[in-house]
């Protein structure tokens, strides 16, 4: 099995929610990585499985080590996602605000992803009115990318923000999100959207 095939197998296990298998696959890949750069990329992906397994301390340590090495907004974003999944919402928001200050104008995908997280975490903190304009800006920027998954995330966030106050509008947003995730060939995200729509009142 090539490294590329083995990594695809890790992602396949992750998508099936077999997180233990995914983690073991990434551990094997990391141990046999041909270079430090390849190893660091694999460690970033490994963090997704660690977070899913609620091994937040390990994921946090890896992200912090990578951030110290690179100073990259990408690694800062990853650390923010770990903190968000760990329930450390204020810490996550501070990291995403720090990332926002690092982004370059015209990097629409990175800007959209950052807006998504800043809106998403504010909503988790109960600050819906602050989240709404960020979600709208996220959608506007995501439309300037060629990334349908990002557009799906933007529409999904808007659906989440409207589902209590305006279920019909939320459904419209979810349908847009689902179409984008179909384009992205993301069956897992489509299933999550279907679940959200079934719960609308």
């Amino acid at each position: 099995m090539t490294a590329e095939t083995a990594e695809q197998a890790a992602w396949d296990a992750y998508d099936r929610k077999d997180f233990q298998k995914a983690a073991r696959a990434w551990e094997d890949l990391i141990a046999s990585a041909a270079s430090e750069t390849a190893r660091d990329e694999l460690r970033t992906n490994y963090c997704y499985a660690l977070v899913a397994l609620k091994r937040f301390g390990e994921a946090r340590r890896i992200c912090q080590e990578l951030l110290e090495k690179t100073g990259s907004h990408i690694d800062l974003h990853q650390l923010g996602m770990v903190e968000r999944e760990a329930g450390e919402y204020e810490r996550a928001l501070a990291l995403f605000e720090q990332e926002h200050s690092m982004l370059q104008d015209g990097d629409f995908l990175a800007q959209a992803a950052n807006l998504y997280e800043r809106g998403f975490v504010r909503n988790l903190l109960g600050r819906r009115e602050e989240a709404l304009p960020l979600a709208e800006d996220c959608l506007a920027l995501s439309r300037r990318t060629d990334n349908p998954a990002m557009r799906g995330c933007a529409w999904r966030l808007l659906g989440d923000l409207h589902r209590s106050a305006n279920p019909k509008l939320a459904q419209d947003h979810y349908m847009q999100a689902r179409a984008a995730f179909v384009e992205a060939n993301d069956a897992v995200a489509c299933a999550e959207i279907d679940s959200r729509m079934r719960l609308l009142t």
Side-chain angles (χ1 to χ4, degrees):
M1 182 183 295
T2 67
E4 292 79 6
T5 303
E7 186 167 13
Q8 185 58 55
W11 280 118
D12 289 344
Y14 180 86
D15 288 341
R16 293 194 308 271
K17 301 188 184 302
D18 190 346
F19 303 125
Q20 291 282 6
K21 183 174 182 179
R24 288 193 299 270
W26 272 308
E27 287 164 1
D28 290 344
L29 282 161
I30 290 164
S32 61
S35 68
E36 183 176 358
T37 299
R39 184 165 57 251
D40 286 347
E41 290 176 359
L42 291 163
R43 292 173 80 206
T44 296
N45 295 338
Y46 177 46
C47 285
Y48 286 98
L50 291 176
V51 166
L53 292 166
K54 301 189 184 306
R55 291 161 58 180
F56 300 117
E58 294 170 72
R60 184 181 290 115
R61 176 180 55 78
I62 290 171
C63 289
Q64 287 174 334
E65 287 176 1
L66 293 173
L67 178 60
E68 289 169 7
K69 181 184 291 188
T70 67
S72 167
H73 79 84
I74 295 171
D75 292 314
L76 185 62
H77 189 94
Q78 292 294 108
L79 180 57
M81 288 195 294
V82 171
E83 298 294 1
R84 185 245 293 158
E85 289 298 306
E88 298 291 340
Y89 300 143
E90 293 287 1
R91 171 66 176 155
L93 185 56
L95 292 168
F96 291 127
E97 293 292 352
Q98 182 181 348
E99 182 199 19
H100 172 63
S101 70
M102 298 168 64
L103 298 178
Q104 300 294 317
D105 290 341
D107 189 349
F108 300 131
L109 182 57
Q111 289 174 308
N114 177 263
L115 283 162
Y116 171 83
E117 291 289 355
R118 287 160 60 212
F120 185 33
V121 176
R122 278 177 168 82
N123 192 43
L124 290 172
L125 287 165
R127 292 154 59 179
R128 175 181 177 274
E129 294 306 314
E130 293 178 26
L132 276 168
L134 294 168
E136 294 284 359
D137 289 346
C138 173
L139 177 60
L141 280 180
S142 72
R143 284 171 156 166
R144 301 180 72 176
T145 76
D146 59 358
N147 190 309
M150 186 69 251
R151 293 196 298 276
C153 289
W155 282 116
R156 184 181 61 200
L157 177 57
L158 283 166
D160 289 347
L161 292 171
H162 287 292
R163 64 185 171 190
S164 294
N166 192 335
K168 177 61 171 67
L169 182 57
Q171 183 178 37
D172 291 344
H173 291 331
Y174 286 146
M175 290 176 68
Q176 294 276 9
R178 196 183 195 289
F181 287 131
V182 167
E183 183 182 350
N185 197 31
D186 191 334
V188 173
C190 287
E192 290 173 352
I193 292 295
D194 291 342
S195 178
R196 280 168 159 82
M197 288 197 287
R198 285 194 297 270
L199 292 173
L200 287 173
T201 56

